[in-house]
Amino acid sequence: MDFALVIQTALNGLANGALYAVIAAGFVLVYRATSVVNFAIAEFMLIGAYLTYTMSLFFPLLLAILLALPLAFLFGVLVERGFVRPLLGRNVVAVIMATIGLASTLDGTALILWGPDQKAMGAADVAQLPKEVPNLAFSLGGVFLSSKAVWSLLLALPLALLLVGGLKYSRYGVLLRAVSESETAALAMGINAPRVVAIAWGISAVMATVGGAFLAGAAGGGGPGHHLVLLGLIVFPVAILGGFDSVPGAVVAGLLIGLIEAFSQLYLESLLPGITQAIPFLIVLLVLLFRPYGLLGQHRIERV
Amino acid sequence: MAEINVENLKVVYRGVILALQGVSLRAGAGEAIALLGPNGAGKSTLVRALSGLLPQYDGRVLDGKIVVNGQEANHLPALKVAELGLTAILEGRPIFRYLTVLENLRAAAHKLTPQRQKEITDEIFTRFPRLYERRFEQGGYLSGGEQQMLLLGMALLTEPRILVVDEPSLGLSPKLTEEVMRVLNELRRDKGLTLVLVEQNARAAFAIVERVYVMEQGRVVFEGTAQEAQADADVMEFYLGGAVAGGFAEAKRYRRRKRWV
Ligand SMILES: Nc1ncnc2c1ncn2[C@@H]1O[C@H](COP(=O)(O)OP(=O)(O)OP(=O)(O)O)[C@@H](O)[C@H]1O
Ligand SMILES: [Mg+2]
């Protein structure tokens, strides 16, 4: 076995997995806060990637990503205010249908605003501005890592961990967990539950934007296009493997699925072409059969 | 000026179930009142109406007036009512079960500076050493009495002027009930709180309130001082099932009988 190749595959897997982790963590955050399964999460990524692209027409790419984040946050808050809040308290199916409808609406909107062709990040003629993020690709002892992978590891992974830590230790994290348990009890203590929930949607959109922009190739090569929506489907297996209501679970599961994909690509793809794309969903089947609470799903407190 | 003034309040759930049919009551600043009544009388509905939480239960004020701290509060949302200094401890010990004791306290202290939060938290732990011992435990694993103490602590962290407590003694042993009442009384005196205490355990409530309201089927059927209530044969018979014997179970049995005939 080629040791350097294994390391390289692992690092690449983790790099992709970090993006899955970021997106899924935001997705689970929303589920925790509102019990809403956001079927439009892939479109959140799409919109985020296009926002980044648009910003990259005017600013250097790294700055463009940063500038896209507040816009994404606003977008998440608006979706919550306009689409989700009016439906809260309705039956689950109504809310599910609504987020599916939202997904198509956003798909269409993106198509109208940005057109059907694939974009290239930082493509505009902004003279003198560095269009690319600094190239961090490196090669060491036979291990080669693309710039994109290094950036993912450098930005996405800390962001995912920040969310995990924030949820556990920050004041907002405590409030979010309180609201997720009982909105009524939170309101009785004067906690501004609607705001806590809106912020969760904003954060989720921010995470999806980072993931989306990077998956679309913000850190080298490519740009947003509609294939991103298909990539976004990976969120569901990741969230389910993580336990669906656990943000740390989503992060661990994201990294794990990234690793599994990378190694499957390396060792299995030649034997069973197409297996790599199927593997996350096979894992979901196994999880649902044998471990419905996933890796870190909440175990219920049973005493009354 | 009365801190809480309720006049002819009518409340419906789901647009059709009339749970309060014209309730009037008041509590002066710093006064403690008790609200008694059998199951389904509408006590918790009144608590929800006072704290602006009716919409959470698909209920609304149909008619009448609620004035809290000089402000009309009929249709104020819960957050606005909280800003008026009213904190409600709802029925059923609604702590956050998956949060630790410390996190529960932190959640309740969301408006305080870290400095003030620490001061009050220290005070809470001095009052309830048991909570300090269990501070890293999830709320759901505390005993009923501990949960009630935790809720009192959380309420303190909102720095209320008016505290509304719905059936704190439910499911607690007589000894613990006494303890909860003692603490409530202490807090109320130390902080100069206005207290609205909803109770089934009339005897325990009488010990710490000045005035008493008895509700039945969405109406107030008795109103008087704690002494008057204790002197009133009906009220006493109703609640204590006779002279002294009493106790929660017996009163309950009696009440059930009375409800069905
Ligand atoms: N969410 C709700 N929807 C519909 N009806 C309700 C709701 N909550 C309470 N009610 C009805 O309103 C009436 C008053 O209920 P409430 O809970 O206020 O009584 P209570 O005096 O607090 O009783 P208990 O001592 O059992 O707590 C009851 O008839 C009850 O069935
Ligand atoms: Mg009640």
Side-chain angles (χ1 to χ4, degrees):
Chain A
M1 201 159 60
D2 181 350
F3 194 63
L5 186 62
V6 168
I7 299 271
Q8 174 178 315
T9 306
L11 286 175
N12 273 313
L14 285 175
N16 250 337
L19 298 178
Y20 301 161
V22 163
I23 301 163
F27 169 82
V28 167
L29 190 76
V30 157
Y31 178 72
R32 284 288 304 266
T34 45
S35 302
V36 172
V37 178
N38 180 13
F39 281 101
I41 186 72
E43 281 72 19
F44 273 44
M45 293 164 53
L46 187 71
I47 298 283
Y50 274 128
L51 284 175
T52 308
Y53 157 76
T54 304
M55 286 291 142
S56 79
L57 298 178
F58 307 101
F59 302 99
L61 200 44
L62 213 47
L63 187 60
I65 295 177
L66 282 180
L67 290 174
L69 297 186
L71 292 178
F73 186 87
L74 198 68
F75 166 73
V77 170
L78 287 177
V79 166
E80 196 274 336
R81 286 277 144 107
F83 243 92
V84 181
R85 186 170 306 177
L87 291 170
L88 287 185
R90 301 284 183 80
N91 76 53
V92 188
V93 179
V95 180
I96 289 177
M97 293 317 287
T99 64
I100 292 176
L102 174 67
S104 322
T105 311
L106 292 176
D107 267 337
T109 311
L111 208 57
I112 292 167
L113 286 180
W114 286 288
D117 52 320
Q118 180 161 350
K119 309 290 184 196
M121 291 277 189
D125 267 334
V126 190
Q128 294 112 9
L129 290 180
K131 287 182 216 152
E132 300 288 334
V133 297
N135 188 347
L136 295 186
F138 77 90
S139 177
L140 189 77
V143 176
F144 172 78
L145 217 52
S146 71
S147 180
K148 177 183 168 181
V150 177
W151 275 110
S152 300
L153 285 171
L154 235 45
L155 287 184
L157 201 54
L159 193 63
L161 296 178
L162 189 72
L163 190 71
V164 171
L167 190 62
K168 185 147 177 55
Y169 298 110
S170 78
R171 178 176 276 200
Y172 172 76
V174 172
L175 291 182
L176 184 120
R177 284 183 287 138
V179 169
S180 84
E181 217 179 291
S182 165
E183 196 190 14
T184 305
L187 285 172
M189 288 290 154
I191 295 170
N192 194 337
R195 187 168 70 197
V196 168
V197 166
I199 292 175
W201 279 83
I203 293 176
S204 186
V206 164
M207 307 296 264
T209 295
V210 172
F214 273 73
L215 281 178
H226 262 70
H227 65 284
L228 203 52
V229 173
L230 290 178
L231 274 180
L233 290 181
I234 193 79
V235 168
F236 296 100
V238 170
I240 290 171
L241 175 60
F244 218 77
D245 62 359
S246 163
V247 173
V251 173
V252 174
L255 295 174
L256 207 58
I257 287 197
L259 279 175
I260 291 173
E261 273 186 352
F263 280 103
S264 151
Q265 185 74 43
L266 182 64
Y267 293 117
L268 297 181
E269 195 66 23
S270 51
L271 306 174
L272 289 165
I275 182 75
T276 303
Q277 260 158 31
I279 263 190
F281 298 91
L282 291 175
I283 293 176
V284 164
L285 282 180
L286 294 178
V287 168
L288 291 178
L289 278 176
F290 297 110
R291 216 185 139 86
Y293 287 123
L295 294 173
L296 296 175
Q298 198 166 51
H299 64 274
R300 311 273 143 201
I301 294 179
E302 296 296 356
R303 74 184 298 272
V304 184
Chain B
M1 188 185 60
E3 287 265 80
I4 292 182
N5 209 338
V6 175
E7 277 173 36
N8 192 30
L9 189 69
K10 295 182 179 149
V11 168
V12 281
Y13 288 110
R14 289 184 247 148
V16 286
I17 304 164
L18 192 60
L20 296 186
Q21 327 200 1
V23 168
S24 300
L25 56 77
R26 65 181 182 81
E31 192 184 21
I33 64 169
L35 202 57
L36 314 175
N39 296 110
K43 307 178 298 292
S44 299
T45 302
L46 186 70
V47 170
R48 292 165 192 165
L50 282 174
S51 49
L53 288 168
L54 279 176
Q56 295 295 116
Y57 301 87
D58 204 0
R60 70 189 172 85
V61 172
L62 195 66
D63 195 15
K65 202 158 96 174
I66 304 173
V67 178
V68 174
N69 197 6
Q71 269 237 33
E72 183 154 333
N74 291 18
H75 302 288
L76 275 191
L79 293 175
K80 290 279 184 286
V81 178
E83 278 168 24
L84 293 177
L86 185 148
T87 298
I89 300 180
L90 302 176
E91 167 175 67
R93 292 196 236 299
I95 50 157
F96 301 112
R97 295 152 53 86
Y98 292 94
L99 268 53
T100 65
V101 167
L102 271 177
E103 288 171 342
N104 267 282
L105 294 172
R106 230 178 133 199
H110 58 99
K111 281 203 189 90
L112 302 181
T113 62
Q115 169 68 23
R116 189 84 187 108
Q117 179 182 338
K118 190 181 175 319
E119 279 169 29
I120 302 182
T121 307
D122 287 347
E123 182 195 332
I124 292 166
F125 285 149
T126 316
R127 264 183 219 272
F128 312 120
R130 186 82 186 125
L131 283 186
Y132 180 74
E133 287 164 28
R134 310 205 66 184
R135 64 193 178 284
F136 299 120
E137 192 80 64
Q138 280 182 314
Y141 291 115
L142 300 182
S143 73
E146 289 162 349
Q147 292 183 345
Q148 198 59 53
M149 300 301 174
L150 176 56
L151 279 164
L152 286 173
M154 290 163 73
L156 277 188
L157 284 160
T158 65
E159 301 203 294
R161 291 181 50 166
I162 305 166
L163 185 59
V164 182
V165 192
D166 197 348
E167 300 212 41
S169 77
L170 193 70
L172 299 189
S173 71
K175 195 162 171 297
L176 261 176
T177 301
E178 210 170 283
E179 168 80 2
V180 168
M181 293 301 153
R182 186 183 61 71
V183 170
L184 264 177
N185 200 28
E186 260 177 41
L187 287 181
R188 175 204 159 205
R189 298 208 182 278
D190 292 356
K191 313 272 172 194
L193 296 179
T194 304
L195 178 66
V196 177
L197 174 61
V198 173
E199 258 304 332
Q200 298 264 12
N201 189 334
R203 203 200 295 272
F206 286 159
I208 68 165
V209 301
E210 281 97 54
R211 286 188 311 109
V212 173
Y213 292 86
V214 178
M215 287 180 65
E216 221 171 274
Q217 298 187 359
R219 290 197 175 83
V220 171
V221 294
F222 173 92
E223 169 180 0
T225 64
Q227 286 82 0
E228 284 164 356
Q230 270 165 306
D232 188 296
D234 278 351
V235 173
M236 289 316 279
E237 187 200 23
F238 193 76
Y239 277 96
L240 305 178
V244 237
F248 188 71
E250 219 181 302
K252 204 169 166 179
R253 213 175 307 132
Y254 180 82
R255 246 173 290 151
R256 205 172 296 141
R257 212 160 58 221
K258 179 163 173 176
R259 252 177 113 184
W260 292 119
V261 291

